[in-house]
Amino acid sequence: MMSLKLAAAFLILIALGGFLQFSYDSNIDYFAEHDAFVSFPTSKTLKILSFGNTNFVADMLFIWTIQFYSSLHIKNRFDYIENIFNIITDLNPQLRAAYYYGAIIMALEAREFKMAIKLLKKGSRNMKQEWIFDYESGYYAYKYLKDYKLAEEFYLKASRNPEAPSLIKRRRAHMVYVRDDLELALRLWMEIQANAKTQVEKDAAFNHLYQIKFEIETKALGPKINAYKERYGRYPIHLEELKRVGLIESIPKDYLGDEYLYDNKTGKIRAKRMYKWKKLF
Amino acid sequence: MKLRAIAINTFKEAVRNKIYYLLIAFGIVFAFSSRLVSLLTLGDQVRVLKNVGLASINFFSVLIAIFTGINLIYKEIDKKTILNIMSKPISRRDFILGKFLGLSYTLLVALVSMATVFLLFLLISTGDIDWNILVYFCLLYFELLIIISISLVFSSFSTPILSSIFTINLYLIGHVLWTFNEFKTRLVEPITRIIIYLIYYILPNLEKFNLRDQIVSNEKINPMIVLTSILYALVYIAAMLTLAILIFNKREFK
Amino acid sequence: MKALEIRDLRKSFRSNFLFKKYEILKAININVEKGQIYGFLGPNGAGKTITIKCILGLLFPDSGQILINNKPATNPEIRQILGFLPEYPFFYDYLTAKEFLHFSAMLFSIPSKKASEVSKKLIKQVGLEGKENIKLKNFSKGMLQRIGFAQALINDPDIVILDEPFSGLDPIGRKELRDIVIALKNSGKTVFFSSHILQDMELIADKVGIIFNGNIIKEGKLSDLVSHSVQYYDVIFSNIDKKKVEANKINFVCRDESYIVRCQDINTMNNIIEFVILNKGKILSVTPIKMTLEDIFLKEIK
Ligand SMILES: Nc1ncnc2c1ncn2[C@@H]1O[C@H](COP(=O)(O)OP(=O)(O)OP(=O)(O)O)[C@@H](O)[C@H]1O
Ligand SMILES: [Mg+2]
């Protein structure tokens, strides 16, 4: 009897508590944008305060950080980002995920590409065995900073790592290509072709070589065609004519040995094959 | 009278245990260390001072709540002193309520001593006192009361180690429960929806007692929300005590 | 009038693993009259402590009734007139003797002024004078037993329940506490105490209940149990020639010139005495040997 009464009282009270929680929740906008205040001691102090459990503290901090950066309603969350990831990676310089995801958050969310690259550089300094950091830096430099020279440097550095996949060499070669050093690009792709092991690699090298050869030759041929026009007041009808008047020594062929397509109305040269080579690094 | 006897005795027992002073002392020392930490950071020193100070007092008072709460009941059963008490004309209900009152008083003394020292410290180092901090301590006290009522429920039927694990877990869950609001709209299946909503409303929701962010960033505190929180605390404590009495009524003392 | 009545009390425990039921108490019936000293006798593990815990509401009986002054014992308020000394004195060891008595008094709602008076008196009565400000954790076993006695009497109880009150005490302590029990009886209180020490029972109990294996196997006034059970008579005589005695086919034991003869009934005793008088011998003594509680106890549990 007594137990029944108590049980009933308990149920009523717990229900009332739930109701209060409900009314509390409806009064609060949990996801109202607001600023958060985060303050950290320096990593040195934290190291001391962790009493030797620096890795543990770093892990905890990292977990917290990931939560923090997925709280989209905190407006000023990027104010601290560089500092936080520096502390984490100071505490545990071997925390690969911290560099990797830290850079992703910095680049893709905070749009701080230089900051991301800086963090990745620190990663590659501290973890010499990893190529992924330089690879990522290369990507950010290429994709967002459009600094192809910088990107090439990163890819080059990453490709020196014996663990690095062959893809990185191809990326580097591509960087060389996009920054218009066609001769070097041609050489690099030939090297890649020579060392290719898989069909994908072979195809990629072939496509690039085809395109680069074409571009080198168009580049050389363009001024000759223009010179011909200046001299005779019209574009040559065939490329043969250029050879005949002595502007070129031989007619260039594409990488497969076929002739280029020449439009004598516009004076433009097209390659026979147009590859979707951009997709295939 | 009988209730008071149990309460006073509970307080005496806690106070005669050195751990109690140790934890209070740690709370104070860590609160002081906020000064040190604030020196190590750049800018916003007052904010850091408040943040670290309040956090350490919070941490240590919760520790006191969990451990004295669980320890005192269990010891009573383990050391069989309860045989002596329950053979006196005192009901199980009065025993639980007396324990609760004694523990609340124990915590009040601990919290007031830590808070006083901290406020004085704040006054000395910043030259003025943010009275909202009192609201913070008040809500913290209610949270502590919820914690001890929960620990009474657990220790009325299980061992201290399990009780502390349960209580600590509930405490942690209580502080992340609010994030449920983030994904509740994603629940579509009716049965899971009902179950999860039930669990959400039954578990103690403790984050509302944490005003540290508002205090630290000098935001205005909504008195209605504070009142709802206190009301919630009172109802929840009543529920837990009823449950503890319900369980304790069935308990035999071998 | 009955101060304590137990009817058909049963209690079993479940073992945790197998859920097998162990019947510990099987139909316990006990009747304690007001003003009596009731001795609850039984070997180790018979179920004395369990019975007492049921009386005090620490354990819940499976079935049966416990009446205190004809009222059911389930109401905690009934314990207002009970005093209890647990088997092992588990008390708060961080309290001093005086604080502990005050705490106990508060549980009976005794006002603090009266509590100080009573506890002072009790401390003196149990022989702990001068020790009232020592913490209980520094008490010896005997001292704890004494302070336990004092707290059992703090509310001037009508019925005092003592579980093994004399264990752990020296002979003087036992005597002192026995005297307190007798004094309680003289002031009209009822005492229910368990023990397996027969001597204590014989010295103070009015009524005895013997529990064995969870059953009450005998209950009765001590005088009834003991007085009507003369087992044999020892006759001791001397001044008769040994050959004469032997010729009469009398079983005897010789000791320093005198003969001891154990007679199983009154007739044989009369015959022996006649024989001694006829032969001009000297009767030194005639002693009826009664059955002791120990004999009864051993006979019953066989
Ligand atoms: N929790 C329990 N579960 C199972 N059996 C138990 C439990 N508690 C006690 N018993 C058993 O009940 C029986 C009676 O125990 P009880 O303590 O009443 O003995 P006692 O008569 O007081 O003995 P003693 O003279 O040694 O104090 C014992 O055989 C004991 O093994
Ligand atoms: Mg016993």
Side-chain angles (χ1 to χ4, degrees):
Chain A
M1 200 52 223
M2 189 64 190
S3 304
L4 262 167
K5 272 187 205 161
L6 284 172
F10 169 69
L11 289 180
I12 291 171
L13 285 168
I14 230 25
L16 190 57
F19 170 73
L20 284 171
Q21 180 61 40
F22 176 76
S23 65
Y24 178 87
D25 286 345
S26 33
N27 272 325
I28 288 231
D29 182 2
Y30 280 104
F31 302 100
E33 294 197 334
H34 68 270
D35 281 357
F37 171 61
V38 186
S39 66
F40 286 107
T42 60
S43 32
K44 198 170 167 190
T45 328
L46 258 182
K47 232 176 234 173
I48 296 168
L49 287 179
S50 68
F51 297 107
N53 304 304
T54 43
N55 284 2
F56 174 74
V57 174
D59 284 349
M60 288 289 114
L61 200 54
F62 181 56
I63 290 170
W64 175 84
T65 307
I66 294 298
Q67 305 311 310
F68 185 67
Y69 282 102
S70 36
S71 314
L72 303 183
H73 51 282
I74 299 173
K75 271 185 303 178
N76 66 337
R77 63 188 185 283
F78 298 123
D79 291 2
Y80 311 103
I81 189 161
E82 185 164 25
N83 195 7
I84 289 177
F85 279 101
N86 266 330
I87 291 176
I88 296 174
T89 52
D90 278 349
L91 287 176
N92 182 1
Q94 303 294 315
L95 195 59
R96 186 175 181 275
Y99 300 110
Y100 186 78
Y101 293 106
I104 289 181
I105 296 171
M106 286 171 178
L108 302 186
E109 302 237 5
R111 319 296 294 176
E112 294 277 3
F113 307 111
K114 289 203 171 123
M115 194 190 276
I117 290 177
K118 210 168 140 198
L119 181 65
L120 290 166
K121 265 182 161 170
K122 183 176 177 190
S124 112
R125 242 190 348 265
N126 289 332
M127 299 178 76
K128 295 241 156 37
Q129 73 281 13
E130 293 283 350
W131 50 268
I132 187 87
F133 301 135
D134 291 321
Y135 173 78
E136 290 282 309
S137 297
Y139 180 74
Y140 294 134
Y142 157 67
K143 176 90 184 188
Y144 300 107
L145 296 181
K146 312 249 182 271
D147 185 340
Y148 306 124
K149 181 98 188 108
L150 187 64
E152 188 208 333
E153 275 166 24
F154 281 119
Y155 285 131
L156 179 63
K157 195 161 160 252
S159 71
R160 293 212 181 102
N161 189 315
E163 302 279 305
S166 60
L167 163 77
I168 294 176
K169 281 211 170 77
R170 280 175 269 148
R171 298 228 53 162
R172 184 207 162 197
H174 186 61
M175 288 308 109
V176 174
Y177 164 75
V178 292
R179 73 175 167 79
D180 248 9
D181 189 346
L182 295 178
E183 301 295 330
L184 180 59
L186 193 71
R187 239 184 29 240
L188 290 174
W189 279 109
M190 265 148 67
E191 231 170 74
I192 290 168
Q193 192 183 41
N195 296 327
K197 288 191 185 76
T198 65
Q199 195 55 41
V200 182
E201 284 174 73
K202 279 178 195 149
D203 289 352
F206 171 80
N207 293 339
H208 276 89
L209 288 169
Y210 187 93
Q211 177 72 15
I212 294 169
K213 185 166 186 312
F214 166 70
E215 280 183 33
I216 290 174
E217 274 157 0
T218 354
K219 240 182 210 162
L221 223 47
K224 309 280 179 189
I225 293 172
N226 287 341
Y228 184 93
K229 194 186 174 194
E230 240 159 65
R231 212 185 283 174
Y232 303 100
R234 63 169 172 84
Y235 290 116
I237 295 170
H238 299 294
L239 290 179
E240 289 285 330
E241 283 175 47
L242 288 178
K243 191 178 166 191
R244 222 180 314 127
V245 300
L247 279 170
I248 53 174
E249 266 145 46
S250 62
I251 299 172
K253 303 257 167 66
D254 73 10
Y255 194 68
L256 287 172
D258 293 336
E259 284 185 2
Y260 290 114
L261 305 173
Y262 169 66
D263 183 350
N264 55 17
K265 291 202 183 73
T266 56
K268 292 265 180 318
I269 295 171
R270 271 190 304 122
K272 228 179 197 170
R273 306 164 60 132
M274 287 300 287
Y275 291 99
K276 285 189 179 156
W277 52 269
K278 277 201 169 169
K279 294 263 159 69
L280 287 168
F281 285 110
Chain B
M1 176 97 171
K2 295 171 185 177
L3 233 149
R4 229 185 76 207
I6 302 277
I8 291 176
N9 190 51
T10 305
F11 177 67
K12 261 189 196 164
E13 173 161 17
V15 168
R16 293 195 181 170
N17 195 336
K18 290 185 188 72
I19 297 285
Y20 177 70
Y21 297 102
L22 202 67
L23 288 176
I24 293 181
F26 263 118
I28 291 174
V29 167
F30 273 76
F32 278 139
S33 79
S34 62
R35 175 96 190 118
L36 209 72
V37 177
S38 78
L39 290 179
L40 294 169
T41 45
L42 291 173
D44 273 338
Q45 299 214 342
V46 179
R47 287 174 105 188
V48 176
L49 204 68
K50 284 188 199 164
N51 205 359
V52 177
L54 296 183
S56 18
I57 291 180
N58 188 319
F59 180 76
F60 283 100
S61 53
V62 167
L63 222 56
I64 295 178
I66 291 178
F67 289 108
T68 48
I70 285 163
N71 212 0
L72 290 192
I73 288 257
Y74 182 76
K75 243 197 205 160
E76 199 92 63
I77 294 170
D78 191 43
K79 292 199 162 180
K80 306 214 173 177
T81 47
I82 197 154
L83 296 182
N84 190 41
I85 293 195
M86 294 320 297
S87 60
K88 303 275 186 289
I90 182 160
S91 62
R92 309 262 169 125
R93 185 196 63 198
D94 287 355
F95 179 77
I96 291 281
L97 294 181
K99 278 278 161 195
F100 178 75
L101 286 182
L103 287 172
S104 9
Y105 188 56
T106 311
L107 283 170
L108 187 66
V109 172
L111 189 59
V112 165
S113 41
M114 288 193 277
T116 316
V117 174
F118 179 67
L119 286 173
L120 280 178
F121 173 62
L122 207 61
L123 181 67
I124 293 167
S125 44
T126 67
D128 100 290
I129 284 185
D130 177 3
W131 293 109
N132 275 341
I133 290 185
L134 289 186
V135 183
Y136 171 84
F137 283 129
C138 173
L139 283 192
L140 173 61
Y141 184 59
F142 278 101
E143 182 182 344
L144 297 178
L145 293 187
I146 292 185
I147 295 173
I148 53 174
S149 68
I150 291 173
S151 72
L152 278 179
V153 171
F154 285 125
S155 53
S156 66
F157 67 88
S158 91
T159 62
I161 296 191
L162 281 182
S163 306
S164 19
I165 292 173
F166 287 144
T167 311
I168 291 170
N169 276 341
L170 266 188
Y171 169 75
L172 295 178
I173 290 172
H175 274 281
V176 294
L177 205 56
W178 64 275
T179 52
F180 165 76
N181 291 289
E182 197 167 351
F183 65 88
K184 67 178 172 192
T185 46
R186 285 188 232 154
L187 294 170
V188 272
E189 207 199 315
I191 293 175
T192 30
R193 202 179 143 88
I194 289 172
I195 292 173
I196 297 208
Y197 265 80
L198 260 180
I199 294 174
Y200 173 72
Y201 285 117
I202 287 174
L203 290 177
N205 206 311
L206 300 176
E207 188 59 24
K208 63 167 87 56
F209 300 102
N210 180 10
L211 292 182
R212 198 164 71 243
D213 283 353
Q214 281 98 312
I215 301 278
V216 167
S217 54
N218 285 323
E219 272 171 49
K220 247 190 105 160
I221 291 167
N222 181 349
M224 262 325 282
I225 287 197
V226 172
L227 281 182
T228 324
S229 304
I230 292 179
L231 198 59
Y232 175 83
L234 294 177
V235 169
Y236 205 86
I237 291 166
M240 286 302 112
L241 291 180
T242 321
L243 187 60
I245 293 168
L246 182 64
I247 299 171
F248 208 61
N249 269 344
K250 301 254 178 260
R251 176 145 191 168
E252 296 197 316
F253 303 106
K254 287 172 182 165
Chain C
M1 195 183 141
K2 277 174 188 155
L4 170 67
E5 186 179 1
I6 299 179
R7 288 193 205 137
D8 258 341
L9 178 71
R10 278 163 202 276
K11 175 75 190 163
S12 52
F13 285 111
R14 264 174 211 290
S15 106
N16 272 350
F17 297 108
L18 300 165
F19 292 103
K20 195 180 156 200
K21 263 194 169 182
Y22 291 101
E23 274 223 299
I24 305 294
L25 300 183
K26 311 153 195 164
I28 297 285
N29 284 287
I30 283 174
N31 294 286
V32 184
E33 300 290 331
K34 209 170 153 82
Q36 252 177 357
I37 298 180
Y38 189 103
F40 193 32
L41 184 64
N44 290 129
K48 301 184 291 290
T49 302
I50 306 273
T51 310
I52 289 177
K53 282 185 178 174
C54 286
I55 298 174
L56 291 157
L58 297 168
L59 294 174
F60 304 123
D62 296 349
S63 67
Q65 257 188 321
I66 300 171
L67 300 173
I68 292 169
N69 283 346
N70 285 327
K71 282 181 228 120
T74 42
N75 184 354
E77 278 312 306
I78 202 83
R79 298 199 282 269
Q80 193 71 39
I81 55 155
L82 288 189
F84 170 55
L85 170 70
E87 181 173 14
Y88 301 105
F90 299 112
F91 303 129
Y92 296 112
D93 50 13
Y94 52 88
L95 293 180
T96 66
K98 204 157 126 197
E99 283 174 325
F100 176 57
L101 289 186
H102 273 260
F103 169 63
S104 303
M106 278 180 95
L107 294 179
F108 286 103
S109 307
I110 299 170
S112 70
K113 204 170 154 218
K114 187 163 172 233
S116 336
E117 262 169 46
V118 177
S119 50
K120 206 176 231 167
K121 202 185 89 201
L122 283 172
I123 281 181
K124 195 173 160 197
Q125 203 175 355
V126 298
L128 287 175
E129 263 174 320
K131 311 260 168 68
E132 48 275 71
N133 291 322
I134 298 179
K135 283 200 180 149
L136 294 188
K137 66 177 161 205
N138 299 324
F139 265 39
S140 71
K141 167 86 168 69
M143 283 159 82
L144 281 175
Q145 196 75 12
R146 285 160 194 256
I147 196 71
F149 228 95
Q151 64 82 33
L153 303 180
I154 193 83
N155 56 329
D156 191 21
D158 291 346
I159 304 170
V160 187
I161 297 175
L162 311 166
D163 198 355
E164 313 258 1
F166 306 116
S167 69
L169 292 173
D170 57 29
I172 303 167
R174 278 156 86 136
K175 164 100 178 58
E176 282 171 3
L177 295 196
R178 271 202 308 264
D179 289 346
I180 295 176
V181 172
I182 290 166
L184 284 172
K185 179 195 164 170
N186 290 341
S187 57
K189 316 285 185 198
T190 311
V191 179
F192 179 92
F193 79 101
S194 82
S195 181
H196 44 229
I197 303 172
L198 295 149
Q199 195 200 354
D200 296 329
M201 291 278 169
E202 278 174 337
L203 282 172
I204 57 174
D206 298 317
K207 191 175 179 183
V208 177
I210 299 177
I211 180 173
F212 181 65
N213 249 340
N215 288 303
I216 296 285
I217 50 173
K218 197 156 191 107
E219 190 187 32
K221 287 233 167 82
L222 187 69
S223 48
D224 292 345
L225 288 179
V226 173
S227 64
H228 298 301
S229 45
V230 174
Q231 276 184 305
Y232 41 76
Y233 302 87
D234 276 354
V235 182
I236 306 177
F237 59 89
S238 63
N239 280 4
I240 297 182
D241 193 44
K242 197 173 183 175
K243 287 203 177 99
K244 235 179 215 166
V245 183
E246 275 169 351
N248 269 285
K249 292 187 177 136
I250 296 170
N251 271 333
F252 64 90
V253 183
C254 241
R255 192 194 287 160
D256 309 336
E257 314 273 287
S258 57
Y259 307 91
I260 306 170
V261 179
R262 181 155 290 185
C263 314
Q264 296 300 331
D265 51 49
I266 295 187
N267 284 342
T268 6
M269 177 189 75
N270 283 338
N271 290 341
I272 297 286
I273 293 174
E274 234 169 85
F275 164 81
V276 175
I277 292 170
L278 275 177
N279 291 287
K280 302 219 163 60
K282 238 188 199 165
I283 301 261
L284 296 177
S285 76
V286 177
T287 328
I289 303 290
K290 285 184 184 172
M291 209 173 190
T292 60
L293 205 46
E294 183 172 350
D295 298 317
I296 298 172
F297 187 61
L298 291 175
K299 198 175 112 203
E300 289 295 338
I301 66 175
K302 234 171 225 164

Short mmCIF file of all heavy atoms in Angstrom, two decimals, chain B residues 149-167:
data_model
loop_
_atom_site.label_atom_id
_atom_site.label_comp_id
_atom_site.label_asym_id
_atom_site.label_seq_id
_atom_site.Cartn_x
_atom_site.Cartn_y
_atom_site.Cartn_z
N SER B 149 20.77 13.56 -4.05
CA SER B 149 19.53 12.78 -4.03
C SER B 149 19.68 11.56 -4.94
O SER B 149 19.19 10.48 -4.62
CB SER B 149 18.32 13.64 -4.42
OG SER B 149 18.41 14.02 -5.76
N ILE B 150 20.38 11.73 -6.05
CA ILE B 150 20.61 10.59 -6.94
C ILE B 150 21.51 9.56 -6.26
O ILE B 150 21.26 8.36 -6.29
CB ILE B 150 21.24 11.06 -8.26
CG1 ILE B 150 20.23 11.85 -9.06
CG2 ILE B 150 21.72 9.86 -9.07
CD1 ILE B 150 20.80 12.49 -10.30
N SER B 151 22.55 10.06 -5.59
CA SER B 151 23.46 9.10 -4.95
C SER B 151 22.73 8.37 -3.82
O SER B 151 23.05 7.22 -3.53
CB SER B 151 24.72 9.79 -4.45
OG SER B 151 24.44 10.57 -3.33
N LEU B 152 21.75 9.02 -3.19
CA LEU B 152 20.97 8.31 -2.17
C LEU B 152 20.18 7.17 -2.80
O LEU B 152 20.09 6.09 -2.23
CB LEU B 152 20.00 9.28 -1.48
CG LEU B 152 20.57 10.14 -0.37
CD1 LEU B 152 19.52 11.07 0.19
CD2 LEU B 152 21.08 9.24 0.74
N VAL B 153 19.62 7.41 -3.97
CA VAL B 153 18.87 6.34 -4.64
C VAL B 153 19.79 5.15 -4.90
O VAL B 153 19.47 4.02 -4.54
CB VAL B 153 18.29 6.82 -5.99
CG1 VAL B 153 17.71 5.65 -6.76
CG2 VAL B 153 17.24 7.87 -5.76
N PHE B 154 20.96 5.43 -5.47
CA PHE B 154 21.84 4.32 -5.80
C PHE B 154 22.35 3.62 -4.57
O PHE B 154 22.39 2.40 -4.51
CB PHE B 154 23.00 4.79 -6.67
CG PHE B 154 22.56 5.06 -8.07
CD1 PHE B 154 22.79 6.29 -8.65
CD2 PHE B 154 21.90 4.10 -8.79
CE1 PHE B 154 22.38 6.55 -9.94
CE2 PHE B 154 21.48 4.35 -10.08
CZ PHE B 154 21.73 5.57 -10.65
N SER B 155 22.76 4.39 -3.57
CA SER B 155 23.36 3.70 -2.43
C SER B 155 22.29 3.05 -1.58
O SER B 155 22.61 2.27 -0.69
CB SER B 155 24.23 4.64 -1.62
OG SER B 155 23.53 5.78 -1.27
N SER B 156 20.99 3.30 -1.86
CA SER B 156 19.98 2.58 -1.08
C SER B 156 19.85 1.13 -1.55
O SER B 156 19.20 0.35 -0.91
CB SER B 156 18.63 3.28 -1.17
OG SER B 156 18.12 3.23 -2.47
N PHE B 157 20.48 0.79 -2.66
CA PHE B 157 20.43 -0.63 -3.01
C PHE B 157 21.73 -1.22 -3.53
O PHE B 157 21.85 -2.43 -3.64
CB PHE B 157 19.31 -0.92 -4.01
CG PHE B 157 19.53 -0.32 -5.38
CD1 PHE B 157 20.23 -1.03 -6.33
CD2 PHE B 157 19.04 0.92 -5.69
CE1 PHE B 157 20.44 -0.49 -7.59
CE2 PHE B 157 19.23 1.46 -6.94
CZ PHE B 157 19.93 0.76 -7.89
N SER B 158 22.73 -0.40 -3.84
CA SER B 158 23.92 -1.04 -4.41
C SER B 158 25.19 -0.66 -3.66
O SER B 158 25.16 0.10 -2.71
CB SER B 158 24.01 -0.74 -5.90
OG SER B 158 24.77 0.41 -6.12
N THR B 159 26.29 -1.21 -4.14
CA THR B 159 27.56 -1.01 -3.44
C THR B 159 28.15 0.36 -3.78
O THR B 159 27.76 0.96 -4.78
CB THR B 159 28.57 -2.08 -3.87
OG1 THR B 159 28.79 -1.90 -5.27
CG2 THR B 159 28.04 -3.46 -3.61
N PRO B 160 29.08 0.86 -2.97
CA PRO B 160 29.56 2.22 -3.18
C PRO B 160 30.27 2.40 -4.50
O PRO B 160 30.15 3.45 -5.13
CB PRO B 160 30.52 2.46 -2.02
CG PRO B 160 30.87 1.14 -1.52
CD PRO B 160 29.73 0.24 -1.81
N ILE B 161 31.00 1.38 -4.95
CA ILE B 161 31.73 1.56 -6.21
C ILE B 161 30.74 1.71 -7.35
O ILE B 161 30.82 2.65 -8.15
CB ILE B 161 32.68 0.38 -6.45
CG1 ILE B 161 33.72 0.38 -5.33
CG2 ILE B 161 33.34 0.48 -7.80
CD1 ILE B 161 34.87 -0.52 -5.53
N LEU B 162 29.77 0.80 -7.38
CA LEU B 162 28.76 0.89 -8.42
C LEU B 162 28.00 2.20 -8.30
O LEU B 162 27.76 2.88 -9.29
CB LEU B 162 27.79 -0.29 -8.32
CG LEU B 162 28.32 -1.58 -8.91
CD1 LEU B 162 27.27 -2.67 -8.81
CD2 LEU B 162 28.68 -1.36 -10.37
N SER B 163 27.64 2.55 -7.06
CA SER B 163 26.89 3.79 -6.87
C SER B 163 27.67 4.97 -7.40
O SER B 163 27.11 5.84 -8.06
CB SER B 163 26.59 4.04 -5.40
OG SER B 163 25.96 2.94 -4.84
N SER B 164 28.97 5.01 -7.09
CA SER B 164 29.69 6.20 -7.57
C SER B 164 29.79 6.18 -9.09
O SER B 164 29.67 7.23 -9.72
CB SER B 164 31.07 6.36 -6.94
OG SER B 164 31.51 5.19 -6.38
N ILE B 165 29.96 4.99 -9.67
CA ILE B 165 30.01 4.95 -11.13
C ILE B 165 28.68 5.42 -11.72
O ILE B 165 28.65 6.28 -12.61
CB ILE B 165 30.34 3.52 -11.61
CG1 ILE B 165 31.78 3.19 -11.23
CG2 ILE B 165 30.18 3.42 -13.11
CD1 ILE B 165 32.17 1.77 -11.50
N PHE B 166 27.59 4.91 -11.17
CA PHE B 166 26.27 5.32 -11.67
C PHE B 166 26.09 6.83 -11.52
O PHE B 166 25.66 7.52 -12.43
CB PHE B 166 25.15 4.63 -10.89
CG PHE B 166 25.00 3.18 -11.22
CD1 PHE B 166 24.65 2.26 -10.25
CD2 PHE B 166 25.17 2.74 -12.52
CE1 PHE B 166 24.50 0.92 -10.56
CE2 PHE B 166 25.01 1.40 -12.84
CZ PHE B 166 24.68 0.50 -11.84
N THR B 167 26.42 7.32 -10.33
CA THR B 167 26.16 8.73 -10.07
C THR B 167 27.03 9.61 -10.96
O THR B 167 26.54 10.59 -11.53
CB THR B 167 26.43 9.05 -8.58
OG1 THR B 167 25.77 8.08 -7.80
CG2 THR B 167 25.91 10.42 -8.23
#
